[in-house]
Amino acid sequence: QVQLEESGPGLVRPSETLSLTCTVSGASINGKTYYWSWVRQSPGKGLEWIGYIYYTGDNSYNPSLESRVSISTDTSKNQFSLRLDSVTAADTAVYYCASLGSGGYNYFFDHWGQGALVTVSS
Amino acid sequence: DIQMTQSPSSLSASVGDRVTITCRASQYINNYLHWYQQKPGQAPKLLISAASTLQSGVPPRFGGSGSGTEFSLTITGLQPEDFATYFCQQSYRTSITFGQGTRLELK
């Protein structure tokens, strides 16, 4: 059973960098099965895909965030991380890490972390 | 980006009712459409993939249909645990997008 758990600061100051880590158990970050992803949800709002990283090191990011976001892996710890630069209050959200799995050419989020609330405030 | 529009945004129903939620894509997405259920304070849970494939452990009262640009999620015989928010998600394009959600409330 794949399990994911987010960790990182719950408060980030405006213009600074948001950093979160996702620890994965039950699957290898180096495996071909999943694209390791981040999704966020602003208070009372819908879901926004941030991006993902594959075992090859290839990334894909939401075009609306691409200039500020970076996702990387630490295979020795079976973790992947999110970095979002120059944050504003609009980046306040619950951040989820998730595994993006596939069935044929379909890709869907089949395992999720519990979510980490990050507030951007001075 | 492909825009996903759900309707209605909210829905009131009673236990035992049959309800249908619709998701419309701004362009053709074949069957690359997935449905999630989210309860307050919890992460979303995958219910249906590829428009109609029920995930393991999801009760058969949940059903999905559609292809192209129009999709639906139907719950037949609502149970108390089904009152939640439902989201659709497309994976036709690399830039994944979600619908805005449909909140299903107890009447």
Side-chain angles (χ1 to χ4, degrees), chain A residues 1-30:
Chain A
Q1 173 74 347
V2 180
Q3 293 184 310
L4 304 97
E5 183 173 4
E6 305 90 351
S7 58
L11 179 65
V12 181
R13 300 193 186 283
S15 80
E16 296 190 345
T17 296
L18 180 159
S19 295
L20 291 172
T21 295
C22 183
T23 301
V24 178
S25 59
S28 172
I29 290 286
N30 274 332

Short mmCIF file of all heavy atoms in Angstrom, two decimals, chain A residues 1-30:
data_model
loop_
_atom_site.label_atom_id
_atom_site.label_comp_id
_atom_site.label_asym_id
_atom_site.label_seq_id
_atom_site.Cartn_x
_atom_site.Cartn_y
_atom_site.Cartn_z
N GLN A 1 0.85 -1.18 0.00
CA GLN A 1 0.00 0.00 0.00
C GLN A 1 0.89 1.25 0.00
O GLN A 1 1.71 1.45 0.88
CB GLN A 1 -0.90 0.00 1.24
CG GLN A 1 -1.71 1.26 1.44
CD GLN A 1 -2.88 1.35 0.46
OE1 GLN A 1 -2.95 0.61 -0.51
NE2 GLN A 1 -3.77 2.28 0.70
N VAL A 2 0.70 2.08 -1.01
CA VAL A 2 1.48 3.31 -1.12
C VAL A 2 0.97 4.33 -0.11
O VAL A 2 -0.24 4.57 -0.02
CB VAL A 2 1.40 3.87 -2.54
CG1 VAL A 2 2.22 5.16 -2.63
CG2 VAL A 2 1.87 2.85 -3.57
N GLN A 3 1.89 4.91 0.63
CA GLN A 3 1.53 5.97 1.57
C GLN A 3 2.46 7.16 1.35
O GLN A 3 3.65 6.99 1.06
CB GLN A 3 1.62 5.47 3.01
CG GLN A 3 0.57 4.40 3.34
CD GLN A 3 0.60 3.97 4.78
OE1 GLN A 3 1.65 3.64 5.32
NE2 GLN A 3 -0.56 3.99 5.43
N LEU A 4 1.88 8.35 1.49
CA LEU A 4 2.65 9.58 1.31
C LEU A 4 2.40 10.50 2.50
O LEU A 4 1.28 10.54 3.04
CB LEU A 4 2.24 10.29 0.02
CG LEU A 4 2.34 9.49 -1.28
CD1 LEU A 4 1.00 8.90 -1.66
CD2 LEU A 4 2.85 10.37 -2.42
N GLU A 5 3.43 11.24 2.88
CA GLU A 5 3.29 12.15 4.00
C GLU A 5 4.06 13.42 3.73
O GLU A 5 5.29 13.39 3.51
CB GLU A 5 3.77 11.51 5.30
CG GLU A 5 3.58 12.40 6.51
CD GLU A 5 3.91 11.70 7.82
OE1 GLU A 5 4.36 10.54 7.78
OE2 GLU A 5 3.73 12.32 8.89
N GLU A 6 3.37 14.56 3.80
CA GLU A 6 3.99 15.86 3.58
C GLU A 6 4.61 16.38 4.88
O GLU A 6 4.12 16.11 5.98
CB GLU A 6 2.96 16.89 3.10
CG GLU A 6 2.18 16.51 1.87
CD GLU A 6 0.90 15.75 2.17
OE1 GLU A 6 0.71 15.36 3.35
OE2 GLU A 6 0.10 15.54 1.24
N SER A 7 5.69 17.14 4.73
CA SER A 7 6.29 17.81 5.87
C SER A 7 6.91 19.12 5.41
O SER A 7 7.33 19.26 4.26
CB SER A 7 7.34 16.93 6.54
OG SER A 7 8.35 16.57 5.61
N GLY A 8 6.96 20.07 6.35
CA GLY A 8 7.54 21.37 6.03
C GLY A 8 6.89 22.47 6.84
O GLY A 8 5.92 22.23 7.57
N PRO A 9 7.43 23.69 6.71
CA PRO A 9 6.89 24.82 7.48
C PRO A 9 5.44 25.12 7.13
O PRO A 9 5.05 25.05 5.97
CB PRO A 9 7.80 25.98 7.06
CG PRO A 9 9.02 25.35 6.50
CD PRO A 9 8.58 24.06 5.89
N GLY A 10 4.68 25.49 8.15
CA GLY A 10 3.28 25.85 7.94
C GLY A 10 3.08 27.34 7.68
O GLY A 10 1.99 27.76 7.31
N LEU A 11 4.14 28.12 7.87
CA LEU A 11 4.06 29.57 7.68
C LEU A 11 5.26 30.04 6.87
O LEU A 11 6.41 29.71 7.20
CB LEU A 11 4.03 30.28 9.03
CG LEU A 11 3.96 31.81 9.01
CD1 LEU A 11 2.64 32.27 8.39
CD2 LEU A 11 4.13 32.37 10.42
N VAL A 12 4.98 30.78 5.82
CA VAL A 12 6.04 31.32 4.96
C VAL A 12 5.76 32.81 4.76
O VAL A 12 4.60 33.20 4.56
CB VAL A 12 6.08 30.60 3.59
CG1 VAL A 12 7.21 31.16 2.71
CG2 VAL A 12 6.24 29.10 3.78
N ARG A 13 6.80 33.60 4.80
CA ARG A 13 6.62 35.05 4.62
C ARG A 13 6.52 35.40 3.15
O ARG A 13 7.12 34.74 2.28
CB ARG A 13 7.78 35.80 5.26
CG ARG A 13 7.90 35.53 6.76
CD ARG A 13 8.83 36.51 7.45
NE ARG A 13 9.04 36.17 8.84
CZ ARG A 13 8.16 36.40 9.81
NH1 ARG A 13 7.00 36.96 9.52
NH2 ARG A 13 8.44 36.07 11.06
N PRO A 14 5.75 36.44 2.82
CA PRO A 14 5.63 36.88 1.43
C PRO A 14 7.00 37.14 0.82
O PRO A 14 7.91 37.64 1.50
CB PRO A 14 4.82 38.17 1.55
CG PRO A 14 4.04 38.01 2.81
CD PRO A 14 4.92 37.24 3.74
N SER A 15 7.14 36.80 -0.44
CA SER A 15 8.34 36.94 -1.27
C SER A 15 9.39 35.85 -0.99
O SER A 15 10.37 35.76 -1.73
CB SER A 15 9.00 38.32 -1.13
OG SER A 15 9.77 38.41 0.05
N GLU A 16 9.17 35.03 0.02
CA GLU A 16 10.13 33.98 0.32
C GLU A 16 9.76 32.69 -0.42
O GLU A 16 8.88 32.68 -1.27
CB GLU A 16 10.24 33.78 1.83
CG GLU A 16 10.79 35.03 2.52
CD GLU A 16 11.14 34.80 3.98
OE1 GLU A 16 10.72 33.79 4.56
OE2 GLU A 16 11.84 35.68 4.55
N THR A 17 10.49 31.61 -0.09
CA THR A 17 10.33 30.35 -0.79
C THR A 17 9.61 29.33 0.06
O THR A 17 9.97 29.11 1.22
CB THR A 17 11.69 29.79 -1.23
OG1 THR A 17 12.28 30.69 -2.19
CG2 THR A 17 11.55 28.41 -1.87
N LEU A 18 8.61 28.71 -0.51
CA LEU A 18 7.87 27.62 0.14
C LEU A 18 8.58 26.31 -0.21
O LEU A 18 8.87 26.04 -1.39
CB LEU A 18 6.44 27.61 -0.40
CG LEU A 18 5.43 26.58 0.09
CD1 LEU A 18 4.01 27.11 -0.17
CD2 LEU A 18 5.60 25.24 -0.60
N SER A 19 8.87 25.52 0.81
CA SER A 19 9.52 24.22 0.59
C SER A 19 8.79 23.14 1.36
O SER A 19 8.59 23.27 2.57
CB SER A 19 10.98 24.27 1.05
OG SER A 19 11.73 25.18 0.27
N LEU A 20 8.41 22.10 0.66
CA LEU A 20 7.74 20.95 1.27
C LEU A 20 8.39 19.66 0.79
O LEU A 20 8.88 19.59 -0.34
CB LEU A 20 6.25 20.91 0.90
CG LEU A 20 5.36 22.01 1.48
CD1 LEU A 20 3.97 21.94 0.87
CD2 LEU A 20 5.28 21.91 3.00
N THR A 21 8.35 18.66 1.65
CA THR A 21 8.90 17.35 1.31
C THR A 21 7.81 16.30 1.48
O THR A 21 6.98 16.40 2.38
CB THR A 21 10.09 17.01 2.21
OG1 THR A 21 11.15 17.94 1.95
CG2 THR A 21 10.60 15.60 1.96
N CYS A 22 7.82 15.33 0.60
CA CYS A 22 6.89 14.21 0.67
C CYS A 22 7.68 12.92 0.84
O CYS A 22 8.55 12.60 0.02
CB CYS A 22 6.05 14.14 -0.60
SG CYS A 22 4.81 12.82 -0.59
N THR A 23 7.40 12.21 1.92
CA THR A 23 8.05 10.93 2.16
C THR A 23 7.13 9.81 1.70
O THR A 23 5.96 9.76 2.10
CB THR A 23 8.37 10.76 3.65
OG1 THR A 23 9.23 11.83 4.06
CG2 THR A 23 9.07 9.43 3.90
N VAL A 24 7.66 8.94 0.88
CA VAL A 24 6.87 7.87 0.26
C VAL A 24 7.23 6.53 0.89
O VAL A 24 8.42 6.22 1.09
CB VAL A 24 7.13 7.81 -1.26
CG1 VAL A 24 6.34 6.67 -1.89
CG2 VAL A 24 6.78 9.14 -1.91
N SER A 25 6.23 5.74 1.20
CA SER A 25 6.44 4.35 1.63
C SER A 25 5.55 3.45 0.80
O SER A 25 4.50 3.86 0.31
CB SER A 25 6.17 4.19 3.12
OG SER A 25 4.84 4.56 3.42
N GLY A 26 5.99 2.20 0.64
CA GLY A 26 5.21 1.25 -0.13
C GLY A 26 5.45 1.29 -1.63
O GLY A 26 4.84 0.53 -2.38
N ALA A 27 6.31 2.19 -2.06
CA ALA A 27 6.69 2.28 -3.48
C ALA A 27 8.03 2.99 -3.55
O ALA A 27 8.39 3.75 -2.66
CB ALA A 27 5.65 3.04 -4.30
N SER A 28 8.76 2.74 -4.63
CA SER A 28 10.05 3.37 -4.82
C SER A 28 9.94 4.59 -5.72
O SER A 28 9.32 4.53 -6.79
CB SER A 28 11.05 2.37 -5.44
OG SER A 28 12.25 3.03 -5.78
N ILE A 29 10.57 5.67 -5.30
CA ILE A 29 10.64 6.87 -6.11
C ILE A 29 11.33 6.56 -7.44
O ILE A 29 11.04 7.19 -8.46
CB ILE A 29 11.42 7.96 -5.36
CG1 ILE A 29 10.62 8.48 -4.17
CG2 ILE A 29 11.81 9.10 -6.27
CD1 ILE A 29 9.49 9.36 -4.56
N ASN A 30 12.16 5.57 -7.44
CA ASN A 30 12.90 5.18 -8.64
C ASN A 30 12.11 4.28 -9.57
O ASN A 30 12.62 3.89 -10.63
CB ASN A 30 14.19 4.44 -8.25
CG ASN A 30 15.33 5.40 -7.97
OD1 ASN A 30 15.36 6.50 -8.53
ND2 ASN A 30 16.26 5.00 -7.13
#
